[in-house]
Amino acid sequence: STASTTHTTTTNININNNKTTTSSSSKSKSSLSAPSTISIPRGVTVRPSGKWQAQLYFAGKSRYIGVFNSREKAASAYEIARKYLKDVGNQHPGGGSSGSGSGGKKGLSGGDIEGYVNGARKAAFHGVHDNE
């Protein structure tokens, strides 16, 4: 039988000593074992308390979404908030970007931006907690 090979590049965090590493690896299926590290989704960080925080960039700033009990819930909240703010950005061209944060603020005032971010937070919490 022929063993296939998997190539991966991931960002990992070792829960035991809070180290973050980026690595490339090449493993055959026969040598795969349970990892001692886990990959962290975009927009998600682990807090010293062991809880998971979601945040993203919108209109040039890092925006806090919330803290969750699991990595999966934080990742889900990030995606819901990202889609919500992306739709806002599409309705108001130049109004904001959930990507690199380099989008301008044309068409949106500071109050509008905070209102949309709060709406994204609420949508994220409802989306995460509705799935329970």
Side-chain angles (χ1 to χ4, degrees):
S1 95
T2 308
S4 64
T5 302
T6 304
H7 299 280
T8 59
T9 301
T10 57
T11 301
N12 298 310
I13 187 163
N14 186 323
I15 301 217
N16 297 328
N17 61 10
N18 292 330
K19 281 188 181 175
T20 302
T21 60
T22 301
S23 62
S24 293
S25 64
S26 178
K27 297 179 181 179
S28 68
K29 279 188 178 179
S30 60
S31 70
L32 292 177
S33 61
S36 62
T37 59
I38 55 174
S39 64
I40 305 296
R42 182 181 183 127
V44 175
T45 56
V46 66
R47 306 279 300 181
S49 65
K51 294 197 176 202
W52 298 85
Q53 178 176 311
Q55 64 185 27
L56 52 71
Y57 283 92
F58 181 74
K61 288 186 177 180
S62 178
R63 308 294 176 154
Y64 172 84
I65 302 303
V67 174
F68 302 88
N69 291 328
S70 72
R71 175 175 53 117
E72 292 78 15
K73 286 182 181 181
S76 178
Y78 169 86
E79 281 302 314
I80 292 166
R82 185 190 64 80
K83 288 175 185 172
Y84 182 96
L85 292 172
K86 183 177 179 182
D87 290 344
V88 167
N90 289 339
Q91 292 170 7
H92 302 278
S97 168
S98 60
S100 66
S102 61
K105 295 183 185 174
K106 291 180 186 175
L108 292 176
S109 71
D112 289 341
I113 291 169
E114 291 306 314
Y116 291 131
V117 171
N118 285 333
R121 259 186 221 117
K122 287 179 185 177
F125 272 93
H126 287 268
V128 167
H129 296 298
D130 286 347
N131 293 333
E132 292 180 346

